[in-house]
Amino acid sequence: MAKKPSNHREPWTNQELGRLKRLVKGNTPTPLIAHELSRAEDAVRQKSSEEGISLKPTNRGPYDRRRGTR
């Protein structure tokens, strides 16, 4: 059985929310965000959903890879 984070079931602080927003803005992967915040990945996903924060990466390729009709 996996070890529970030290702050399991503890409310999120304003500092943690700010850090979550900064990490998401920097395109940090969800598992790494969870590790940095000492929270479970599911907890990070749940809180970001509640706060309206998208965890989808914003980095895109430099050009559209779909081929246009010629």
Side-chain angles (χ1 to χ4, degrees):
M1 189 159 150
K3 183 180 174 185
K4 293 180 183 175
S6 59
N7 54 3
H8 179 69
R9 291 197 168 268
E10 294 291 324
W12 286 70
T13 65
N14 288 335
Q15 289 176 337
E16 287 176 318
L17 285 175
R19 193 162 180 207
L20 171 65
K21 290 175 184 178
R22 281 192 305 275
L23 289 169
V24 168
K25 191 173 184 178
N27 285 330
T28 308
T30 306
L32 188 55
I33 292 172
H35 178 74
E36 291 288 323
L37 296 174
S38 298
R39 297 277 183 172
E41 284 183 51
D42 289 339
V44 171
R45 287 188 186 99
Q46 178 68 32
K47 192 61 176 178
S48 65
S49 176
E50 289 172 4
E51 296 292 321
I53 302 168
S54 175
L55 293 175
K56 291 183 179 179
T58 57
N59 54 347
R60 299 274 194 286
Y63 53 89
D64 190 6
R65 293 182 186 266
R66 288 184 279 162
R67 301 217 185 253
T69 56
R70 291 183 180 190

